[in-house]
């Protein structure tokens, strides 16, 4: 309430009166204390939110530079842009990563989060669910939804040629857990990782 009073140039008492009179919409938190949503401040100040209902970001990812050199990334982006045009979306950003779907520190993915948090888009377009993340897609979907952003997945099942990427992700997962259990330099670590590689090779 104090921050709102400074922004609007009125006293906290005046804001409380406006709340009782229905001139401003407050929300109550635990203990009955008032909070004024940012949207209410913008309404009173006459600030209109930009219409982002047709603004979209395209996100493409391949796991290796070899895939990128083969043109997989470009084909993926073209397919997503064609889809966006067919839907009449205004694509404001085309984002691409060359990294594993298990990697949480992807540069383009971080930029995507920034766009969402700044409310610059309403749609994220991806080819397959795993382009965003190998695991936890539902968590991302829920988080994006909390910012009024939806994810549109162009294709259903993962393509058959994604086998090698799945293998690499599996080995990375096993390596990570083995390292935590046994330590990177231990004999057991090497035995577990090599065992998984041999099983896959068979």
């Amino acid at each position: 309430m104090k921050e709102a009073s400074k922004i609007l140039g009125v006293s906290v008492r005046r804001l409380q009166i406006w709340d009782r009179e229905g001139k401003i919409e407050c929300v109550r938190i635990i203990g009955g204390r008032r909070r004024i949503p940012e949207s209410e401040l913008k309404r009173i100040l006459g600030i209109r939110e930009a219409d982002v209902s047709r603004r979209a970001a395209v996100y493409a990812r391949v796991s290796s530079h070899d895939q990128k050199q083969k043109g997989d990334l470009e084909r993926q982006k073209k397919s997503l842009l064609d889809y966006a045009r067919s839907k009449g979306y205004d694509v404001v950003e085309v984002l691409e990563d060359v990294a594993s779907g298990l990697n949480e520190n992807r540069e383009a993915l971080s930029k995507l989060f920034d766009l969402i948090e700044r409310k610059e888009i309403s749609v994220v377009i991806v080819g397959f669910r795993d382009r965003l993340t190998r695991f936890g897609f539902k968590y991302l979907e829920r988080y994006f939804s909390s910012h009024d952003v939806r994810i549109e997945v162009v294709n259903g099942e993962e393509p058959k040629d994604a086998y090698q990427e799945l293998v690499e992700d599996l080995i990375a997962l096993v390596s990570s857990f083995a390292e935590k259990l046994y330590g990177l330099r231990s004999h057991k670590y090497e035995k577990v990782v090599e065992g998984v590689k041999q099983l896959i090779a068979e």
Side-chain angles (χ1 to χ4, degrees), residues 101-119:
L102 299 172
N103 186 342
E104 297 174 344
N105 298 312
R106 286 172 267 157
E107 185 178 345
L109 184 63
S110 179
K111 287 181 181 177
L112 179 61
F113 274 83
D114 290 340
L115 288 172
I116 290 166
E117 289 164 3
R118 292 198 302 263
K119 301 183 184 298

Side-chain angles (χ1 to χ4, degrees), residues 1 19 24-29 32-37:
M1 292 292 280
D19 181 30
I24 192 168
E25 187 177 324
C26 294
V27 293
R28 296 290 198 281
I29 61 171
R33 297 177 66 185
R34 294 178 175 91
R35 290 289 184 271
I36 300 177

Side-chain angles (χ1 to χ4, degrees), residues 102-139:
L102 299 172
N103 186 342
E104 297 174 344
N105 298 312
R106 286 172 267 157
E107 185 178 345
L109 184 63
S110 179
K111 287 181 181 177
L112 179 61
F113 274 83
D114 290 340
L115 288 172
I116 290 166
E117 289 164 3
R118 292 198 302 263
K119 301 183 184 298
E120 294 183 18
I121 58 172
S122 64
V123 182
V124 175
I125 302 171
V126 295
F128 298 92
R129 288 185 171 204
D130 77 314
R131 296 305 89 190
L132 275 177
T133 181
R134 180 62 71 187
F135 299 109
F137 180 85
K138 286 290 183 183
Y139 293 111

Side-chain angles (χ1 to χ4, degrees), residues 161-179:
D161 61 6
Y163 173 80
Q164 185 57 38
E165 186 175 339
L166 282 168
V167 168
E168 291 169 2
D169 285 346
L170 174 59
I171 293 171
L173 273 175
V174 171
S175 299
S176 176
F177 281 108
E179 181 184 346

